Amino acid sequence: MYTIAIHGGAGVINRNSLNAEEEKLYLEGLEESLNIGYKLLEAGKNALDAVEAAVISLEDNLMFNAGKGSVFNSDGIHEMEASIMWGKNLDAGAVSGIRNVKNPIQLARAAMEKSPHLFLNSSGAELFAKELDFPFEDDSYFFTTKRYDQLLEAKKDSRVQLDHFADNFGTVGAVALDSFGNLASANSTGGLTNKSYGRIGDSPLIGSGTYANNNTCAVSCTGDGEFFIRGVVAYDISCLVEYKNMSLADACNLVIKEKMVKLGGEGGVIAVDKSGNVALVFNSGGMYRGFKKHDGTSEIAIF
């Protein structure tokens, strides 16, 4: 039994915000990511490998706000974040404030497996990446006219935005259950357009944006990071499953559609539990999402 789910962000999105070609590109990107992760699970690889590979695919796709498609901060540069967690032993790795690293999720996994520290930041994280000979890219690799135009629009209005006013929404992530009963979760993001002061969101924060525990579930979050941090959303869902004996769907719905709404937070989660049940829950207009299970059932959707 094995299952994988992915997301490419959530936000104020409706059918009028995407043209047919853009919708096609998003759906193709989600499908490619989902199939890459699923084929690893199908081949007997573990959940950690699957979520990392699925997220790398999304980081390499300029349609999504992570890696190559990352948004600009207020200084006109890209500062990226990522995290990964292994439900088998609660090990985790995270990076934030990094520049020019081609695939931040790989660096997050390296922090978990090859560093004495769990969370690495900024120039220190970049030095660690260089010591491991990880691939770096010039600023031009991360530049897109669409992202730059979003920055100019945000600066004009003195606004920090989650891409809600554009056509790409926040974060990418993946969760998986492998055939050995192990759960894993991963997140990666370029953060907020026009963010300043070294802002860090929920994506690299274990328990807020990312969580995995073999006894309960794996969760990846996307949306208004400040609210997801305050709600410790990923861990809250796991706790409801563990201590309240709630189903995965009920736990996700309670946290996202009730608790987060009361806080004022918008976004969603993807989650898979130890039995292979999947929940894709959001309180926003849409969420780029998909899942695929060993029995052949699958879904890819936006709205």
Side-chain angles (χ1 to χ4, degrees):
M1 179 174 63
Y2 45 89
T3 301
I4 186 168
I6 61 167
H7 73 77
V12 181
I13 176 175
N14 56 58
R15 294 186 184 278
N16 295 326
S17 65
L18 295 179
N19 61 46
E21 179 60 24
E22 289 170 333
E23 182 175 348
K24 177 175 178 288
L25 289 172
Y26 280 120
L27 291 174
E28 288 176 348
L30 291 170
E31 183 176 20
E32 180 180 15
S33 170
L34 193 62
N35 286 336
I36 285 172
Y38 182 82
K39 286 177 180 177
L40 289 176
L41 295 175
E42 191 176 38
K45 300 296 184 180
N46 65 43
L48 204 59
D49 293 334
V51 296
E52 179 188 27
V55 168
I56 287 172
S57 175
L58 294 169
E59 287 178 337
D60 291 344
N61 188 327
L62 58 79
M63 298 299 292
F64 299 96
N65 179 18
K68 184 177 179 65
S70 292
V71 298
F72 288 88
N73 70 3
S74 62
D75 294 324
I77 61 176
H78 303 90
E79 289 181 317
M80 299 173 287
E81 309 165 356
S83 64
I84 194 165
M85 188 165 185
W86 187 215
K88 184 177 182 179
N89 57 8
L90 303 186
D91 206 356
V95 294
S96 65
I98 60 172
R99 297 186 57 193
N100 301 105
V101 177
K102 184 174 186 284
N103 292 112
I105 194 61
Q106 289 183 313
L107 188 57
R109 182 168 181 178
M112 178 179 73
E113 296 179 336
K114 300 179 180 180
S115 164
H117 311 300
L118 186 155
F119 199 148
L120 307 180
N121 182 57
S122 191
S123 59
E126 292 163 14
L127 176 60
F128 180 62
K130 290 174 182 176
E131 289 177 351
L132 295 176
D133 201 27
F134 274 28
F136 279 67
E137 297 288 349
D138 293 334
D139 289 344
S140 59
Y141 171 83
F142 301 94
F143 181 91
T144 64
T145 300
K146 179 179 72 173
R147 292 281 183 253
Y148 192 67
D149 288 345
Q150 289 171 9
L151 173 64
L152 296 179
E153 178 186 356
K155 280 184 172 293
K156 180 181 64 177
D157 298 333
S158 299
R159 182 179 63 223
V160 176
Q161 64 186 52
L162 263 171
D163 282 341
H164 288 3
F165 301 91
D167 59 359
N168 189 304
F169 305 87
T171 312
V172 305
V175 294
L177 170 71
D178 63 33
S179 57
F180 311 103
N182 298 311
L183 290 161
S185 177
N187 262 8
S188 183
T189 186
L192 301 175
T193 297
N194 202 31
K195 66 182 179 180
S196 58
Y197 306 119
R199 182 263 186 187
I200 296 172
D202 66 304
S203 295
L205 299 184
I206 303 304
S208 292
T210 308
Y211 194 73
N213 184 333
N214 277 10
N215 294 323
T216 55
C217 57
V219 183
S220 173
C221 304
T222 177
D224 292 331
E226 277 68 15
F227 293 94
F228 279 73
I229 293 169
R230 289 163 59 189
V232 199
V233 167
Y235 184 60
D236 194 16
I237 290 169
S238 175
C239 285
L240 290 170
V241 172
E242 184 170 11
Y243 302 122
K244 290 289 189 177
N245 294 315
M246 293 182 69
S247 71
L248 184 68
D250 287 346
C252 290
N253 278 303
L254 174 61
V255 172
I256 297 301
K257 294 189 175 180
E258 295 185 34
K259 298 174 83 170
M260 288 303 291
V261 170
K262 289 179 181 177
L263 277 178
E266 183 180 23
V269 297
I270 57 170
V272 59
D273 68 16
K274 63 181 182 180
S275 299
N277 298 306
V278 174
L280 312 174
V281 178
F282 53 98
N283 63 23
S284 53
M287 181 169 74
Y288 297 103
R289 65 199 186 274
F291 77 87
K292 193 168 186 177
K293 306 177 75 170
H294 73 283
D295 62 6
T297 57
S298 65
E299 175 190 69
I300 296 174
I302 299 175
F303 308 104

